[in-house]
Amino acid sequence: MAYLLPSLPYPTSFANTVYILFFYCIIDCMFVYSMCNSVCVVAQVRPLHGSGCGQQQEAVGMETRPETVSIFRTQENDPACQSEQHLGQYYTVPASHFHTVFPHGLPPRYQQQVKTFNEGCVMVRQPALELISHLKRADYINPTLRYLLYGVKGSGKTMSLCHAVHYCSTQGWLVLHIPDAHLWVKNCKELLPSSYHASRFDQPIQASNWLRNFRTTNEHFLSKIKLRQRYVWTKRESTEEGRPLGELVDMGVSRVKSSSDVVGAVLKELRLQAGGTEGGFRLAVAVDGVNGLWGRTTLKKEDKSPVAPEELTLVHNLRKMINNDWCGGAVIATLSQTGSLYAPSSAYLPQELLGEEGFDSMDPFIPVPVSLYSEKEFESCYLYYLDHIHFHHWLQHPHSQTEEGKKELIFLSNRNPSVLERLCAFL
Amino acid sequence: MKCSNIVTQMQMLLLSTYFLFSPERRTANMAASGGRTVGSFLWKCGNCCFNFNTVSSNLTRQVLSRQLCVSAVLHRKNLAAAGPEKFSEEFIKKQVEEFNIGKRHLANMMGEDPETFTQGDINRSIAYLFPSGLFDKKAKPLMKDTFTKALAVEKHQDRLRGKDLFTQDAKQISLVGSRWLLKEELEELLVETISEHDYARFIQLMERLLSLPYCSVEEDFVQRYRRQLEIQSSKQQVQPLQYDQHGVAYSTGDGRRKTAMGTVLLRDSGSGSISINGTNYVHYFPVLQDREQLMFPLHFMEVLGRFDMQCSVSGGGHSSQAGALRLAISRAMLSFLSEGQVETMRQAGLLTPDPRIKERKKPGQEGARRKFTWKKR
């Protein structure tokens, strides 16, 4: 265990030295018998803080017993039960739920991290808690409330959204999660003119992909919800009234040509039935990168003239969804500059990213600002990565375990979550 | 070598007999017997060349060497073809007889008894008759003067050691902060031109002098040929700290790199926030390398979370802007640091402006170094 012994930059008294040695004996025992990583009780990594940092001691806790719960993880895996005391701590999304709840919603780097660490841990942060508390308290008779998460690039908006989505799914809501609205307004190879409406364009591939993921997320609802209207697709095909939603979705997945219209139909049905008293369910519409729905697209028609977002079926239907003319659910949206088109990289406020039109459509909404890591949150994240030395050898550089190394990390990342993650990725 | 000695002896012997015999005593008999033999000896040995051959018996060696010498001289060209010479017994006997006769003559000359004339007597008589300068003391090869001096020193040291007075005094001349005279300076001092080799030799000798144990005795001599180096850090102008209305210390610094110019306002008792041209530094420098450049001066002096910075930078690219800001930060930090820390910063290279600029494009080439594509024809 000599390799774990950090070189302390200040002279340690005898008591401190004894304490450190005692601590390392404990770590040795911990390492030997705690091999399962989902329930790891790692004692706090005390020497890193040093006895000089007084304010951090309160945050860390005063436990000196070996069976302490680690300060950066919590056992409370249910988002509904999480509260302020869990702020800054990581909770694990159970592996069984992981693929059903988040088939497509997570940021790509986070997905890689999940694959590497073999566990999906999400930090409990203030914006997500605020959002969840709003969702708990809101009454669903009034028209839907719209929440907008905004913040600088890499501050954790998508992760907060996913946290809220996890809450909704554990509460039995029907989740409509659009991973990135920007994907629908750019890089589309096939643009078919819509059969339903002459001037609109279909995007079959994106629509069918989304329907597939939608099906994975909401399996249990598909058989329960019945259609209220008859839909005619072609001369020979139609879906009758009263058929389960699942059939519609399957049809949309298999018949790629009409998948965009199927999406529109699904959205319409859900909108109508969301707040209903008989067999009512709550509907959560989670849209990431909602500023992509207004603005410009990079798609072009055959005569090289640009396509406006309204002319896309998917976007049109989604906009109708976001309008607050239905009740029985909530709309949670995030702004995203990363995938946005024609937006300057320094823009992060709603006004800048949504534009006039978008702002007017979204208005009124509840803004939820997402900030960079606070001291405590940074601490947690740092310890989380550090913890993975024992099991996954994540932060390998010995200097990163020292106080100096931590200060360097703070400086270089300015406590920006994504920057920190990228930094630690190759340390 | 005994054979060569013998040959020389023979030579001397014959010469002496030739000269000592006065003409009037030369009777026909004498001439016939003694002269002939002496003459034959002379003839044989006069044209001798020394030949080293290993023959077991002394006599045969002498005879053989004589014979070989003669044959080598006479048949020089055919030596290789001839092969080893074979001597007849009769010839050998004849040579031995002649040698004995010559020996008796020599004994007569010396006034000694011919019967008991040994080889040692022959040697002594030849040495008496032909005094050679080879064995004189003054003809011995002498060693040069410096070595004798060194030997004398060693002897002195040994004497001291014998008396237990020999102490290894390790007092060294302090050479820190000075350098040897340059060639031009030495020329100026000695008022004569010096070649490069001479100068190199001079430096070599001085270094050797310094390596000797008691060199501190000659410290004045050595210091005459050394110049003090100026302390670089004393050239650094450190501006005093300024205080704003809340009593917070601040200082400014500016730096340049390539074409970028940056200024920094460093404020004390801050939290480590940095704003560049009004935006956050993580946003302004998305590349990690640039942020590391900004971090370096603070991290080196271990003041990472202490200062707040407001920077403005213009010109150049992102890398040169980062370099310019780094220099500006280091310069601004000088007011907060002590002398020793300033020196460490200077030695770390934080205070040196980077002199590299874009190299000029030359005519006949595509770029500064790149030549046009070479076509063979």
Side-chain angles (χ1 to χ4, degrees):
Chain A
M1 298 302 283
Y3 68 92
L4 276 182
L5 197 67
S7 55
L8 303 169
Y10 52 87
T12 48
S13 66
F14 175 71
N16 273 347
T17 330
V18 165
Y19 174 62
I20 289 159
L21 284 172
F22 172 63
F23 162 69
Y24 275 117
C25 296
I26 295 159
I27 275 285
D28 247 325
C29 311
M30 289 289 130
F31 187 63
V32 161
Y33 68 72
S34 65
M35 286 313 285
C36 70
N37 44 17
S38 58
V39 189
C40 73
V41 275
V42 178
Q44 52 189 329
V45 193
R46 248 328 180 97
L48 290 167
H49 303 284
S51 50
C53 316
Q55 69 275 22
Q56 283 172 348
Q57 275 190 356
E58 284 98 60
V60 158
M62 303 301 289
E63 303 89 323
T64 55
R65 304 181 306 276
E67 304 86 18
T68 44
V69 177
S70 61
I71 45 97
F72 60 92
R73 277 189 204 263
T74 171
Q75 304 304 311
E76 190 58 69
N77 285 346
D78 186 12
C81 311
Q82 284 159 0
S83 64
E84 267 86 30
Q85 71 190 75
H86 298 115
L87 268 182
Q89 295 177 9
Y90 280 86
Y91 81 94
T92 326
V93 178
S96 51
H97 290 174
F98 202 75
H99 291 290
T100 42
V101 178
F102 300 123
H104 54 171
L106 295 168
R109 278 199 80 95
Y110 183 74
Q111 280 174 6
Q112 284 172 358
Q113 190 188 305
V114 167
K115 212 161 99 175
T116 319
F117 287 178
N118 237 6
E119 59 174 3
C121 278
V122 181
M123 195 199 275
V124 176
R125 290 184 74 193
Q126 177 54 35
L129 274 186
E130 199 182 310
L131 201 55
I132 291 172
S133 63
H134 281 305
L135 287 173
K136 281 185 203 169
R137 284 192 311 235
D139 62 342
Y140 292 98
I141 309 166
N142 293 339
T144 46
L145 287 169
R146 290 168 306 182
Y147 307 93
L148 191 63
L149 291 158
Y150 70 97
V152 287
K153 195 153 73 163
S155 55
K157 303 182 282 290
T158 312
M159 287 309 294
S160 301
L161 184 77
C162 292
H163 191 171
V165 161
H166 186 216
Y167 165 77
C168 294
S169 68
T170 49
Q171 297 293 303
W173 295 29
L174 201 157
V175 172
L176 215 70
H177 188 42
I178 289 108
D180 195 358
H182 293 299
L183 294 175
W184 291 354
V185 296
K186 59 179 180 179
N187 296 342
C188 179
K189 297 280 163 34
E190 289 181 14
L191 211 61
L192 304 173
S194 167
S195 49
Y196 187 69
H197 201 275
S199 63
R200 288 206 212 126
F201 292 94
D202 270 0
Q203 285 154 301
I205 312 170
Q206 275 91 340
S208 56
N209 275 342
W210 184 80
L211 278 174
R212 211 173 298 131
N213 288 325
F214 172 74
R215 188 171 53 182
T216 333
T217 323
N218 302 302
E219 288 282 358
H220 48 281
F221 279 108
L222 295 177
S223 45
K224 281 194 251 168
I225 302 172
K226 304 280 184 265
L227 300 178
R228 295 225 184 123
Q229 197 194 318
R230 183 169 180 265
Y231 294 100
V232 180
W233 306 118
T234 59
K235 282 194 196 125
R236 272 170 248 165
E237 285 167 12
S238 65
T239 318
E240 299 303 322
E241 204 179 313
R243 307 294 300 159
L245 194 66
E247 202 182 292
L248 194 62
V249 175
D250 289 331
M251 213 214 78
V253 173
S254 50
R255 292 224 171 268
V256 182
K257 239 180 141 181
S258 44
S259 49
S260 318
D261 293 325
V262 166
V263 169
V266 162
L267 292 180
K268 189 165 151 193
E269 285 297 317
L270 292 174
R271 221 177 24 246
L272 291 171
Q273 296 188 27
T277 41
E278 76 303 327
F281 57 89
R282 302 249 182 94
L283 180 64
V285 182
V287 188
D288 204 336
V290 77
N291 50 320
L293 297 180
W294 297 276
R296 294 156 63 184
T297 69
T298 47
L299 307 173
K300 290 204 168 58
K301 293 180 231 182
E302 269 138 19
D303 53 356
K304 308 283 175 85
S305 60
V307 175
E310 304 78 51
E311 294 177 14
L312 295 166
T313 340
L314 288 171
V315 175
H316 181 83
N317 291 322
L318 197 55
R319 277 198 203 174
K320 280 198 266 182
M321 204 69 197
I322 295 181
N323 280 337
N324 56 351
D325 49 3
W326 52 282
C327 49
V331 174
I332 317 167
T334 50
L335 295 176
S336 168
Q337 195 281 324
T338 322
S340 72
L341 306 160
Y342 308 104
S345 62
S346 54
Y348 72 96
L349 293 169
Q351 194 109 29
E352 298 162 347
L353 280 176
L354 285 174
E356 285 290 328
E357 199 190 331
F359 199 83
D360 293 332
S361 327
M362 285 294 285
D363 207 18
F365 60 86
I366 304 176
V368 183
V370 180
S371 58
L372 304 176
Y373 278 157
S374 67
E375 294 241 2
K376 189 175 159 196
E377 288 170 345
F378 180 84
E379 196 68 39
S380 283
C381 189
Y382 174 69
L383 291 173
Y384 177 67
Y385 288 132
L386 210 62
D387 172 49
H388 278 266
I389 305 174
H390 300 294
F391 301 104
H392 302 284
H393 301 286
W394 200 237
L395 276 179
Q396 285 204 16
H397 201 281
H399 189 59
S400 57
Q401 294 175 39
T402 62
E403 192 69 30
E404 278 299 316
K406 203 163 81 146
K407 279 199 202 155
E408 277 184 51
L409 283 175
I410 296 181
F411 185 97
L412 286 176
S413 64
N414 200 25
R415 296 208 191 88
N416 189 316
S418 72
V419 177
L420 181 65
E421 194 264 321
R422 262 165 240 264
L423 264 183
C424 298
F426 53 74
L427 262 180
Chain B
M1 291 291 292
K2 227 179 185 170
C3 56
S4 51
N5 273 347
I6 295 300
V7 166
T8 359
Q9 282 174 24
M10 282 296 116
Q11 201 173 359
M12 301 312 167
L13 180 67
L14 291 162
L15 276 170
S16 62
T17 47
Y18 192 73
F19 287 126
L20 280 170
F21 283 135
S22 56
E24 55 274 17
R25 281 168 84 186
R26 273 197 210 127
T27 58
N29 285 345
M30 273 289 202
S33 59
R36 209 184 297 124
T37 41
V38 169
S40 64
F41 276 158
L42 255 180
W43 169 248
K44 279 166 197 168
C45 294
N47 301 323
C48 75
C49 58
F50 297 103
N51 240 336
F52 305 99
N53 47 359
T54 56
V55 183
S56 51
S57 74
N58 204 356
L59 210 53
T60 39
R61 201 194 306 164
Q62 295 164 13
V63 167
L64 276 173
S65 64
R66 263 188 281 135
Q67 179 59 25
L68 271 172
C69 288
V70 169
S71 58
V73 163
L74 291 177
H75 312 290
R76 198 169 285 160
K77 287 180 191 160
N78 296 328
L79 186 60
E85 294 287 342
K86 304 238 177 348
F87 305 105
S88 56
E89 286 290 327
E90 180 194 300
F91 179 75
I92 289 171
K93 268 195 214 130
K94 191 163 138 229
Q95 297 297 320
V96 169
E97 271 173 32
E98 280 183 16
F99 173 74
N100 284 331
I101 289 165
K103 195 165 90 171
R104 292 181 82 88
H105 278 301
L106 184 59
N108 266 337
M109 260 191 277
M110 293 304 290
E112 303 220 10
D113 187 14
E115 302 301 325
T116 59
F117 207 57
T118 59
Q119 182 61 40
D121 293 333
I122 297 178
N123 291 345
R124 258 185 281 112
S125 52
I126 290 178
Y128 170 74
L129 290 170
F130 303 100
S132 158
L134 266 179
F135 307 103
D136 200 6
K137 199 158 184 189
K138 286 195 182 171
K140 283 190 193 159
L142 263 184
M143 291 199 241
K144 299 248 170 95
D145 261 341
T146 47
F147 195 67
T148 53
K149 280 190 188 164
L151 280 176
V153 166
E154 291 269 331
K155 254 196 247 173
H156 179 72
Q157 280 184 349
D158 290 336
R159 256 183 260 130
L160 285 180
R161 273 202 204 96
K163 294 186 204 165
D164 277 332
L165 289 172
F166 191 69
T167 51
Q168 274 286 0
D169 192 359
K171 192 168 76 161
Q172 294 288 330
I173 309 180
S174 156
L175 298 169
V176 173
S178 59
R179 57 165 176 84
W180 289 117
L181 282 185
L182 294 175
K183 182 157 161 293
E184 291 77 21
E185 289 170 355
L186 190 61
E187 282 178 1
E188 207 182 355
L189 188 72
L190 298 175
V191 198
E192 63 169 308
T193 48
I194 305 172
S195 77
E196 277 178 32
H197 297 288
D198 286 340
Y199 178 67
R201 181 82 181 131
F202 165 71
I203 298 291
Q204 205 181 3
L205 290 172
M206 295 301 275
E207 291 291 334
R208 189 148 159 240
L209 175 64
L210 290 176
S211 68
L212 296 172
Y214 279 89
C215 55
S216 47
V217 175
E218 296 295 331
E219 188 167 340
D220 296 327
F221 174 73
V222 167
Q223 291 291 3
R224 237 189 292 155
Y225 296 100
R226 285 191 82 94
R227 289 272 176 278
Q228 289 296 114
L229 292 166
E230 309 91 28
I231 303 169
Q232 291 290 327
S233 63
S234 57
K235 287 192 198 157
Q236 210 77 35
Q237 285 144 355
V238 177
Q239 283 164 353
L241 272 183
Q242 293 154 294
Y243 292 88
D244 69 354
Q245 70 242 46
H246 299 289
V248 174
Y250 72 93
S251 72
T252 55
D254 45 69
R256 246 191 274 205
R257 166 101 212 270
K258 244 183 184 180
T259 347
M261 286 186 20
T263 50
V264 158
L265 183 82
L266 212 64
R267 253 193 264 267
D268 204 353
S269 49
S271 59
S273 70
I274 308 179
S275 76
I276 307 182
N277 286 355
T279 57
N280 192 266
Y281 66 110
V282 174
H283 199 257
Y284 194 80
F285 285 133
V287 180
L288 180 68
Q289 185 190 346
D290 300 337
R291 269 177 278 139
E292 273 180 359
Q293 288 282 301
L294 284 189
M295 186 176 80
F296 180 35
L298 305 172
H299 177 249
F300 188 72
M301 307 313 303
E302 290 155 16
V303 288
L304 263 180
R306 188 171 142 194
F307 295 110
D308 273 339
M309 282 185 265
Q310 271 170 274
C311 324
S312 62
V313 68
S314 62
H318 66 96
S319 216
S320 44
Q321 282 185 346
L325 278 181
R326 178 182 116 171
L327 185 60
I329 291 170
S330 324
R331 285 202 184 141
M333 263 170 63
L334 286 180
S335 340
F336 291 95
L337 300 174
S338 65
E339 280 286 327
Q341 287 174 314
V342 166
E343 182 60 25
T344 45
M345 273 196 36
R346 184 191 71 81
Q347 285 184 358
L350 279 168
L351 301 174
T352 336
D354 201 333
R356 300 179 283 181
I357 52 166
K358 192 163 172 176
E359 198 175 310
R360 183 213 134 159
K361 176 199 174 313
K362 284 102 189 174
Q365 292 176 2
E366 200 171 307
R369 298 284 170 102
R370 163 126 175 91
K371 320 282 184 280
F372 290 120
T373 316
W374 181 70
K375 293 214 172 68
K376 203 164 183 178
R377 43 187 75 84

